[in-house]
Amino acid sequence: MKKLDNINTKILQLLTEDSRRSYQEIADTVNLSRSAVNKRINQMIDDGTIKRFTIEHTLEKAYSILLIKSDGCNCDIIFDKLCSIKEDFIFESLYGSVDSIARIATIEHCRLYEIKNMLMQMAEVEEVKTLPVMATHVKRSKK
């Protein structure tokens, strides 16, 4: 990785803010042509300055886990019901003491209670436990 000049630093800043930003928009901001920006970004990829382009979603911020025990129904029914909520969520069917887990992008207790009650009104749902996540630790393997 080589030392960054002011323009590459600005390009990195813009991409960090929005990795989907168009090369033309970056070019307009740093007063270069689109092809010059393309060349600089490709060089930063080649020399390892840029390792990957990624997104940030709300589930990396504050979220809660719902543990859902059902009567053995197809979990798609529960997923379909959860699709009516406004919050982003990830839903997974499980095998074990609970049948599904939902990571919901909220830690607001009142909202969790509303979602829990909505699910508990379903004949197929036996129990819902809500667990607001206080901290997340991630270990990623080197590639």
Side-chain angles (χ1 to χ4, degrees), residues 127-141:
E127 182 181 14
V128 178
K129 293 183 180 177
T130 58
L131 305 166
V133 174
M134 304 306 293
T136 300
H137 305 276
V138 177
K139 189 266 182 198
R140 298 192 196 282
S141 62

Side-chain angles (χ1 to χ4, degrees), residues 82-140:
L82 276 173
C83 285
S84 68
I85 69 173
K86 66 181 180 195
E87 292 83 3
D88 293 335
F89 68 91
I90 295 172
F91 182 85
E92 296 174 296
S93 299
L94 305 173
Y95 178 79
S97 59
V98 295
D99 300 295
S100 54
I101 185 171
R103 287 180 51 175
I104 300 180
T106 185
I107 57 170
E108 296 176 24
H109 295 294
C110 292
R111 183 61 183 143
L112 286 172
Y113 184 74
E114 290 171 1
I115 296 168
K116 177 180 178 177
N117 282 344
M118 176 190 74
L119 292 173
M120 288 301 298
Q121 290 175 9
M122 297 177 66
E124 300 84 1
V125 175
E126 296 176 356
E127 182 181 14
V128 178
K129 293 183 180 177
T130 58
L131 305 166
V133 174
M134 304 306 293
T136 300
H137 305 276
V138 177
K139 189 266 182 198
R140 298 192 196 282

Side-chain angles (χ1 to χ4, degrees), residues 39-83:
K39 183 177 178 184
R40 283 174 173 264
I41 290 173
N42 285 334
Q43 182 59 48
M44 286 189 281
I45 292 169
D46 291 343
D47 72 19
T49 301
I50 296 176
K51 292 184 178 181
R52 63 187 172 126
F53 294 83
T54 187
I55 63 167
E56 177 182 327
H57 55 82
T58 58
L59 294 177
E60 288 181 341
K61 297 180 181 172
Y63 69 92
S64 297
I65 294 174
L66 299 182
L67 301 176
I68 305 163
K69 184 174 181 177
S70 66
D71 63 1
C73 71
N74 182 336
C75 289
D76 290 345
I77 297 168
I78 299 168
F79 172 78
D80 291 342
K81 185 69 171 179
L82 276 173
C83 285

Side-chain angles (χ1 to χ4, degrees), residues 9-54:
T9 301
K10 182 64 176 177
I11 290 170
L12 283 177
Q13 176 190 357
L14 293 168
L15 287 172
T16 300
E17 292 169 2
D18 180 3
S19 64
R20 293 185 54 175
R21 191 181 305 260
S22 74
Y23 286 8
Q24 187 60 57
E25 185 180 345
I26 295 169
D28 293 343
T29 304
V30 298
N31 297 316
L32 290 176
S33 69
R34 190 190 63 73
S35 61
V37 166
N38 183 49
K39 183 177 178 184
R40 283 174 173 264
I41 290 173
N42 285 334
Q43 182 59 48
M44 286 189 281
I45 292 169
D46 291 343
D47 72 19
T49 301
I50 296 176
K51 292 184 178 181
R52 63 187 172 126
F53 294 83
T54 187

